[in-house]
Amino acid sequence: MKMRKLLPFVLLAVGALFLLSGCDAMLDAIFPSNQISVDVWVTAYTHTDYAVGAYVSVTLHDNTSGTSKTATTTWQSYDGYYVHYRVSFTKLKDDNFSLTSTYVDYLGYTTSTFYIYDPSGYGYVGNGLNFTMPYSNSGDSTGHSITVVQYFP
Amino acid sequence: MKKLLVPLAAILLLALAVPAAFSEAELGIGLTPGQVANPPDLNNVDPILNFHVGWNWTILYLSWDAYAMPDYWVYNNTTYVDPSSGYTVQGYYVPGFLNMFDIGAKIVLKPFMVYAEVGTNMLYLRGGANYGKVGVNARLGAGLHFGFWGINLSGTQVFASTQDLSAAIHQASHGNWSDLTQGMVPTLNFVIYF
């Protein structure tokens, strides 16, 4: 096979790739399923010592199918005021979901979900967030990839 | 330095074995296992897709790889601690293309081929922005080249800065390859040659 005769097509493909690599539609095609990230903020007054040994469990309940997923994580970062615990749920259907979380501190004391925010609108959502995917009131205009904040004072 | 002489001599001999006029363009697609890509939640096992363009002349090898990175990867790699304040600067939670522009050496002795490259990274963020602080990379690969197609396995290591990369190469020249190869993300590539 004389592959070199196809060289013009290679150049076209390179050009297409160049365009696609900067193309949002391409990314949306590659990541078509819904994804939800939950950033859990826990107050830490002076240092991160409180975070050592503490953990957060986040449960995403699919109200449509009646199934649940739980992700547990230890702390990831500290911004000077809050310790951040972040988990992600991927490959989600266009269902209705509710979100709850539990913070277990280093002494073993447990606190359930306090406040949930949609950071794109900075709106107070309340205890137990219910939403249907795609959820367009978020940073990603497609609504397929949203992030919410859970805040523990 | 003496330890470098043997591999350099081997590369030179192999380069002499490659026909001088040999040049080749290539297009490819690759897949990286998701768990290897270190998602924050072990339940996430999304594989990472990448597109590849390359060209080589004798042993000179130029390539461009665009990895479609999920939003949680982008967030983890754009979140950093501000050294002046000590506070964490939150990253972007959007998917993106991690573009790697590399230069290196590739030796093809059909049906075998090996390559080594270093280069710079550029992260395109969904929505139109580019993020430049994703450092540089080093890649090692080996595979098979059959006529107009081939398959190879590569390992890519991303470094925060060129200083980190040069330190890892310096360590490798002293026989300690762990800084260069430990944590390399493997990718299986399917390539068509022209």
Side-chain angles (χ1 to χ4, degrees):
Chain A
M1 190 173 186
K2 300 289 184 187
M3 293 300 287
R4 281 187 183 274
K5 288 185 177 176
L6 298 176
L7 209 52
F9 294 102
V10 177
L11 297 175
L12 279 175
V14 171
L17 180 60
F18 179 77
L19 292 173
L20 291 173
S21 74
C23 181
D24 292 344
M26 185 72 171
L27 286 168
D28 291 339
I30 294 171
F31 302 107
S33 64
N34 302 313
Q35 303 179 77
I36 296 170
S37 173
V38 185
D39 189 3
V40 180
W41 298 19
V42 179
T43 302
Y45 294 105
T46 54
H47 49 68
T48 58
D49 289 356
Y50 295 115
V52 177
Y55 63 91
V56 163
S57 289
V58 180
T59 298
L60 184 71
H61 183 70
D62 186 331
N63 297 318
T64 309
S65 68
T67 58
S68 293
K69 288 182 177 180
T70 298
T72 299
T73 184
T74 54
W75 73 290
Q76 277 127 34
S77 63
Y78 175 59
D79 64 10
Y81 301 98
Y82 299 98
V83 177
H84 292 265
Y85 301 74
R86 181 178 277 262
V87 297
S88 296
F89 299 93
T90 61
K91 296 181 179 174
L92 302 172
K93 295 177 181 175
D94 287 355
D95 289 349
N96 180 267
F97 296 93
S98 60
L99 197 61
T100 55
S101 67
T102 300
Y103 166 60
V104 181
D105 71 13
Y106 70 107
L107 294 172
Y109 293 113
T110 298
T111 310
S112 294
T113 298
F114 205 80
Y115 299 115
I116 299 176
Y117 287 90
D118 178 337
S120 66
Y122 295 98
Y124 170 71
V125 177
N127 294 343
L129 176 62
N130 276 279
F131 51 89
T132 300
M133 296 297 291
Y135 181 70
S136 60
N137 185 24
S138 189
D140 178 354
S141 60
T142 68
H144 285 294
S145 183
I146 73 165
T147 181
V148 294
V149 170
Q150 298 208 350
Y151 163 63
F152 290 92
Chain B
M1 198 61 193
K2 283 181 181 174
K3 288 183 179 176
L4 276 178
L5 287 178
V6 174
L8 285 175
I11 289 171
L12 189 63
L13 284 172
L14 285 168
L16 290 173
V18 177
F22 178 79
S23 76
E24 206 167 50
E26 60 190 47
L27 281 177
I29 194 164
L31 209 60
T32 300
Q35 273 187 325
V36 178
N38 193 29
D41 178 357
L42 292 179
N43 293 318
N44 294 332
V45 290
D46 296 350
I48 291 170
L49 184 69
N50 80 281
F51 303 100
H52 168 83
V53 177
W55 177 77
N56 72 300
W57 179 76
T58 66
I59 64 166
L60 175 67
Y61 186 39
L62 305 174
S63 72
W64 169 28
D65 289 81
Y67 288 75
M69 307 308 288
D71 44 18
Y72 47 82
W73 185 95
V74 172
Y75 177 81
N76 286 339
N77 286 274
T78 55
T79 298
Y80 63 95
V81 177
D82 183 349
S84 58
S85 67
Y87 293 158
T88 300
V89 177
Q90 299 297 322
Y92 301 90
Y93 192 75
V94 291
F97 276 110
L98 177 62
N99 293 285
M100 296 181 172
F101 305 98
D102 292 333
I103 183 168
K106 178 179 170 186
I107 294 164
V108 181
L109 293 172
K110 291 180 182 177
F112 304 105
M113 53 87 95
V114 292
Y115 58 92
E117 299 176 280
V118 294
T120 187
N121 304 335
M122 191 274 289
L123 180 63
Y124 170 82
L125 303 170
R126 191 195 179 285
N130 285 311
Y131 185 84
K133 299 176 188 171
V134 282
V136 295
N137 73 86
R139 179 178 298 138
L140 300 172
L144 298 170
H145 185 315
F146 306 106
F148 72 93
W149 69 280
I151 192 165
N152 69 80
L153 185 67
S154 66
T156 304
Q157 178 80 292
V158 175
F159 296 92
S161 64
T162 50
Q163 288 88 348
D164 290 351
L165 172 63
S166 58
I169 291 173
H170 179 74
Q171 287 292 317
S173 70
H174 287 79
N176 177 16
W177 286 79
S178 63
D179 287 354
L180 192 62
T181 58
Q182 199 170 44
M184 271 192 160
V185 176
T187 303
L188 186 65
N189 304 289
F190 179 77
V191 183
I192 297 174
Y193 299 99
F194 299 87

